[in-house]
Short mmCIF file of all heavy atoms in Angstrom, two decimals:
data_model
loop_
_atom_site.label_atom_id
_atom_site.label_comp_id
_atom_site.label_asym_id
_atom_site.label_seq_id
_atom_site.Cartn_x
_atom_site.Cartn_y
_atom_site.Cartn_z
N THR A 1211 104.51 64.48 80.39
CA THR A 1211 103.84 65.73 80.28
C THR A 1211 104.58 66.91 80.95
O THR A 1211 105.42 66.66 81.86
CB THR A 1211 102.44 65.62 81.00
OG1 THR A 1211 102.64 65.31 82.38
CG2 THR A 1211 101.57 64.59 80.33
N VAL A 1212 104.38 68.07 80.46
CA VAL A 1212 104.70 69.25 81.09
C VAL A 1212 103.48 70.14 81.53
O VAL A 1212 102.64 70.39 80.62
CB VAL A 1212 105.59 70.27 80.17
CG1 VAL A 1212 105.80 71.65 80.63
CG2 VAL A 1212 106.91 69.49 79.88
N ASN A 1213 103.32 70.39 82.70
CA ASN A 1213 102.03 71.00 83.25
C ASN A 1213 102.16 72.51 83.03
O ASN A 1213 101.88 73.36 83.93
CB ASN A 1213 101.75 70.60 84.67
CG ASN A 1213 100.35 70.97 84.99
OD1 ASN A 1213 99.47 70.91 84.17
ND2 ASN A 1213 100.06 71.28 86.27
N SER A 1214 102.57 72.99 81.89
CA SER A 1214 102.71 74.39 81.62
C SER A 1214 102.16 74.63 80.12
O SER A 1214 102.12 73.74 79.31
CB SER A 1214 104.14 74.86 81.56
OG SER A 1214 104.68 74.58 82.83
N VAL A 1215 101.77 75.88 79.90
CA VAL A 1215 101.23 76.22 78.52
C VAL A 1215 102.45 76.35 77.67
O VAL A 1215 103.45 77.11 77.95
CB VAL A 1215 100.50 77.50 78.56
CG1 VAL A 1215 100.22 78.02 77.10
CG2 VAL A 1215 99.20 77.34 79.33
N VAL A 1216 102.53 75.56 76.53
CA VAL A 1216 103.66 75.58 75.57
C VAL A 1216 103.16 76.02 74.18
O VAL A 1216 103.91 75.90 73.21
CB VAL A 1216 104.40 74.26 75.56
CG1 VAL A 1216 104.93 73.91 76.94
CG2 VAL A 1216 103.41 73.12 75.10
N TYR A 1217 101.97 76.34 74.10
CA TYR A 1217 101.35 76.65 72.70
C TYR A 1217 100.26 77.57 72.84
O TYR A 1217 99.42 77.52 73.74
CB TYR A 1217 100.88 75.29 72.05
CG TYR A 1217 100.78 75.44 70.54
CD1 TYR A 1217 101.85 75.17 69.74
CD2 TYR A 1217 99.67 75.81 70.01
CE1 TYR A 1217 101.76 75.09 68.41
CE2 TYR A 1217 99.45 75.81 68.53
CZ TYR A 1217 100.63 75.51 67.79
OH TYR A 1217 100.51 75.49 66.40
N HIS A 1218 100.20 78.51 71.89
CA HIS A 1218 99.02 79.50 71.75
C HIS A 1218 98.38 79.22 70.43
O HIS A 1218 98.88 79.55 69.35
CB HIS A 1218 99.54 80.98 71.87
CG HIS A 1218 100.11 81.33 73.18
ND1 HIS A 1218 101.00 82.39 73.35
CD2 HIS A 1218 99.98 80.74 74.40
CE1 HIS A 1218 101.35 82.48 74.61
NE2 HIS A 1218 100.73 81.53 75.30
N TYR A 1219 97.14 78.68 70.51
CA TYR A 1219 96.47 78.33 69.33
C TYR A 1219 95.45 79.41 68.90
O TYR A 1219 94.58 79.75 69.71
CB TYR A 1219 95.67 76.92 69.57
CG TYR A 1219 94.68 76.63 68.57
CD1 TYR A 1219 95.08 76.29 67.27
CD2 TYR A 1219 93.30 76.61 68.76
CE1 TYR A 1219 94.18 75.97 66.28
CE2 TYR A 1219 92.36 76.37 67.77
CZ TYR A 1219 92.84 75.95 66.57
OH TYR A 1219 91.88 75.62 65.59
N ARG A 1220 95.51 79.83 67.63
CA ARG A 1220 94.62 80.87 67.16
C ARG A 1220 93.37 80.31 66.77
O ARG A 1220 93.32 79.45 65.81
CB ARG A 1220 95.34 81.68 66.11
CG ARG A 1220 94.53 82.92 65.66
CD ARG A 1220 95.34 83.74 64.57
NE ARG A 1220 96.65 84.04 65.04
CZ ARG A 1220 96.90 85.13 65.82
NH1 ARG A 1220 95.91 85.85 66.30
NH2 ARG A 1220 98.07 85.39 66.17
N ASP A 1221 92.30 80.82 67.38
CA ASP A 1221 90.94 80.24 67.06
C ASP A 1221 90.10 81.17 66.22
O ASP A 1221 88.97 80.88 66.07
CB ASP A 1221 90.29 79.98 68.43
CG ASP A 1221 88.98 79.05 68.26
OD1 ASP A 1221 89.05 78.11 67.40
OD2 ASP A 1221 88.03 79.25 68.95
N ASP A 1222 90.71 82.19 65.66
CA ASP A 1222 89.90 83.22 64.99
C ASP A 1222 90.50 83.52 63.61
O ASP A 1222 90.22 84.56 63.02
CB ASP A 1222 89.79 84.54 65.78
CG ASP A 1222 91.14 85.16 66.09
OD1 ASP A 1222 92.14 84.56 65.78
OD2 ASP A 1222 91.18 86.18 66.73
N SER A 1223 91.23 82.49 63.05
CA SER A 1223 91.87 82.71 61.76
C SER A 1223 91.01 82.16 60.65
O SER A 1223 90.66 80.94 60.71
CB SER A 1223 93.30 82.11 61.65
OG SER A 1223 93.76 82.12 60.40
N ALA A 1224 90.65 82.99 59.74
CA ALA A 1224 89.81 82.43 58.55
C ALA A 1224 90.69 81.91 57.44
O ALA A 1224 90.29 81.10 56.61
CB ALA A 1224 88.93 83.50 58.04
N GLU A 1225 91.99 82.27 57.47
CA GLU A 1225 92.84 81.91 56.28
C GLU A 1225 93.74 80.72 56.62
O GLU A 1225 94.30 80.16 55.70
CB GLU A 1225 93.90 83.00 56.05
CG GLU A 1225 93.29 84.35 55.50
CD GLU A 1225 92.99 85.30 56.60
OE1 GLU A 1225 92.85 84.86 57.78
OE2 GLU A 1225 92.66 86.47 56.27
N SER A 1226 93.74 80.13 57.76
CA SER A 1226 94.67 79.15 58.09
C SER A 1226 94.40 77.83 57.67
O SER A 1226 93.14 77.50 57.32
CB SER A 1226 94.89 79.05 59.61
OG SER A 1226 93.81 78.59 60.22
N PHE A 1227 95.32 76.81 57.66
CA PHE A 1227 95.07 75.43 57.44
C PHE A 1227 94.05 74.96 58.35
O PHE A 1227 93.30 74.10 58.05
CB PHE A 1227 96.37 74.66 57.61
CG PHE A 1227 97.35 74.70 56.51
CD1 PHE A 1227 98.63 75.14 56.61
CD2 PHE A 1227 97.00 74.07 55.30
CE1 PHE A 1227 99.53 75.00 55.61
CE2 PHE A 1227 97.90 74.05 54.24
CZ PHE A 1227 99.09 74.49 54.47
N THR A 1228 94.00 75.36 59.61
CA THR A 1228 93.24 74.76 60.63
C THR A 1228 91.86 75.31 60.68
O THR A 1228 91.04 74.93 61.58
CB THR A 1228 93.90 75.04 61.93
OG1 THR A 1228 94.17 76.49 62.09
CG2 THR A 1228 95.16 74.28 62.10
N ASN A 1229 91.41 76.11 59.69
CA ASN A 1229 89.99 76.65 59.64
C ASN A 1229 89.47 76.32 58.30
O ASN A 1229 88.83 77.18 57.67
CB ASN A 1229 90.04 78.07 59.98
CG ASN A 1229 88.95 78.52 60.97
OD1 ASN A 1229 87.89 77.83 61.10
ND2 ASN A 1229 89.27 79.50 61.78
N VAL A 1230 89.54 75.02 57.89
CA VAL A 1230 89.13 74.64 56.53
C VAL A 1230 87.56 74.55 56.55
O VAL A 1230 86.95 73.91 57.45
CB VAL A 1230 89.77 73.30 56.16
CG1 VAL A 1230 89.25 72.93 54.73
CG2 VAL A 1230 91.19 73.41 56.23
N VAL A 1231 86.98 75.10 55.61
CA VAL A 1231 85.48 74.91 55.35
C VAL A 1231 85.20 73.46 54.98
O VAL A 1231 86.01 72.82 54.28
CB VAL A 1231 84.98 75.87 54.26
CG1 VAL A 1231 83.50 75.60 54.00
CG2 VAL A 1231 85.19 77.27 54.67
N MET A 1232 84.09 72.96 55.52
CA MET A 1232 83.80 71.57 55.25
C MET A 1232 83.31 71.40 53.79
O MET A 1232 82.13 71.18 53.59
CB MET A 1232 82.88 71.02 56.18
CG MET A 1232 83.38 70.65 57.62
SD MET A 1232 84.51 69.20 57.45
CE MET A 1232 83.33 67.95 57.63
N SER A 1233 84.24 71.48 52.83
CA SER A 1233 83.93 71.25 51.47
C SER A 1233 83.86 69.69 51.31
O SER A 1233 84.10 68.97 52.22
CB SER A 1233 85.09 71.73 50.55
OG SER A 1233 86.27 71.05 50.92
N ASP A 1234 83.47 69.26 50.16
CA ASP A 1234 83.40 67.89 49.81
C ASP A 1234 84.74 67.19 49.99
O ASP A 1234 84.80 66.07 50.47
CB ASP A 1234 82.92 67.64 48.44
CG ASP A 1234 81.45 67.99 48.25
OD1 ASP A 1234 80.74 68.03 49.26
OD2 ASP A 1234 81.01 68.12 47.02
N LYS A 1235 85.86 67.94 49.62
CA LYS A 1235 87.19 67.37 49.73
C LYS A 1235 87.48 67.19 51.34
O LYS A 1235 88.03 66.22 51.69
CB LYS A 1235 88.18 68.34 49.15
CG LYS A 1235 89.62 67.80 49.26
CD LYS A 1235 90.52 68.82 48.65
CE LYS A 1235 92.02 68.38 48.68
NZ LYS A 1235 92.94 69.35 48.03
N ALA A 1236 87.11 68.18 52.12
CA ALA A 1236 87.36 68.15 53.57
C ALA A 1236 86.48 66.98 54.14
O ALA A 1236 87.04 66.29 55.04
CB ALA A 1236 87.00 69.44 54.14
N LYS A 1237 85.38 66.75 53.72
CA LYS A 1237 84.55 65.68 54.24
C LYS A 1237 85.18 64.33 53.89
O LYS A 1237 85.24 63.51 54.81
CB LYS A 1237 83.06 65.73 53.65
CG LYS A 1237 82.31 66.93 54.01
CD LYS A 1237 81.02 67.10 53.31
CE LYS A 1237 80.22 68.37 53.62
NZ LYS A 1237 79.05 68.56 52.84
N ARG A 1238 85.63 64.18 52.76
CA ARG A 1238 86.33 62.90 52.39
C ARG A 1238 87.60 62.70 53.20
O ARG A 1238 87.91 61.58 53.62
CB ARG A 1238 86.59 62.90 50.86
CG ARG A 1238 85.34 62.71 49.99
CD ARG A 1238 85.77 62.41 48.60
NE ARG A 1238 86.58 63.44 47.92
CZ ARG A 1238 86.01 64.50 47.31
NH1 ARG A 1238 84.72 64.63 47.14
NH2 ARG A 1238 86.86 65.48 46.80
N SER A 1239 88.34 63.79 53.43
CA SER A 1239 89.50 63.75 54.25
C SER A 1239 89.14 63.25 55.67
O SER A 1239 89.99 62.45 56.23
CB SER A 1239 90.17 65.08 54.21
OG SER A 1239 91.37 65.06 54.98
N LEU A 1240 88.17 63.83 56.23
CA LEU A 1240 87.78 63.55 57.52
C LEU A 1240 87.55 62.01 57.63
O LEU A 1240 88.01 61.31 58.61
CB LEU A 1240 86.54 64.28 57.95
CG LEU A 1240 85.86 63.92 59.31
CD1 LEU A 1240 86.66 64.32 60.47
CD2 LEU A 1240 84.46 64.47 59.43
#
Side-chain angles (χ1 to χ4, degrees):
T1211 60
V1212 168
N1213 196 30
S1214 302
V1215 170
V1216 298
Y1217 200 89
H1218 294 158
Y1219 169 69
R1220 189 176 303 280
D1221 197 34
D1222 57 1
S1223 167
E1225 291 93 342
S1226 70
F1227 275 122
T1228 53
N1229 228 329
V1230 181
V1231 175
M1232 282 291 276
S1233 63
D1234 288 342
K1235 181 179 179 182
K1237 293 172 184 177
R1238 290 192 297 271
S1239 179
L1240 170 72

